[in-house]
Amino acid sequence: MFSKQNLLATLAATLTMFILGYLIWGMATADFFEQHSLADVMKSDEDMNLGMIFLGNLIGAFAMSSLYGKWARGHHSAGQGFQFGAWIGLFVGVGMGLVWMGTSNMMDTTGHVVEAVIDIVYYGLIGLVIALVYKATASKEAA
């Protein structure tokens, strides 16, 4: 669980999640989701806790990297990593998104659909990063 591969993949995925998350939700889609929100639940930029966001990304990246290490069984590729992450994105974006849609008034249907698509791609890219780190470090550990 605390192998060199897992820890390096966790670090790379954490940084990717943090930066990519900011670029996607903090910049590129902020106006879109503001238009499709049904309730103002977001904190202002000044009130956001970057430490908590980073910690959440770290824990999520560690969980994904640990699961990927077991799922991949030593065979690492960008495509396999993206596929792994996309399954996580499907779980979060569609599975949990439908639960949130059924239990809250956070966004309209369009917002939820777009969020689901973004989640699949976002987590696919995180899975890709994890797989590439596992692949890059596998040959060094075997030597």
Side-chain angles (χ1 to χ4, degrees):
M1 181 179 341
F2 292 105
S3 69
K4 177 182 173 182
Q5 282 181 306
N6 191 11
L7 294 177
L8 289 173
T10 296
L11 179 61
T14 299
L15 295 174
T16 304
M17 289 174 91
F18 193 78
I19 294 166
L20 192 58
Y22 174 73
L23 292 174
I24 293 171
W25 290 282
M27 294 180 72
T29 63
D31 291 339
F32 172 83
F33 283 115
E34 189 174 314
Q35 294 171 5
H36 293 278
S37 292
L38 300 176
D40 186 14
V41 296
M42 295 300 293
K43 292 183 177 184
S44 68
D45 289 344
E46 298 83 32
D47 293 332
M48 285 193 189
N49 186 331
L50 293 180
M52 286 301 202
I53 294 169
F54 188 83
L55 182 61
N57 287 329
L58 178 66
I59 292 168
F62 180 72
M64 281 186 70
S65 180
S66 297
L67 290 170
Y68 173 80
K70 294 181 183 317
W71 183 78
R73 298 182 184 184
H75 303 287
H76 312 293
S77 70
Q80 185 180 26
F82 187 87
Q83 180 186 28
F84 168 79
W87 279 109
I88 300 291
L90 184 71
F91 167 73
V92 173
V94 178
M96 294 306 301
L98 288 171
V99 171
W100 292 324
M101 192 170 155
T103 60
S104 71
N105 287 318
M106 220 168 15
M107 290 186 287
D108 62 19
T109 303
T110 302
H112 281 288
V113 169
V114 170
E115 179 67 26
V117 171
I118 291 172
D119 283 344
I120 292 167
V121 174
Y122 172 77
Y123 286 105
L125 292 172
I126 302 307
L128 183 144
V129 167
I130 291 169
L132 292 178
V133 172
Y134 266 81
K135 184 176 182 175
T137 57
S139 60
K140 293 176 186 171
E141 285 187 355

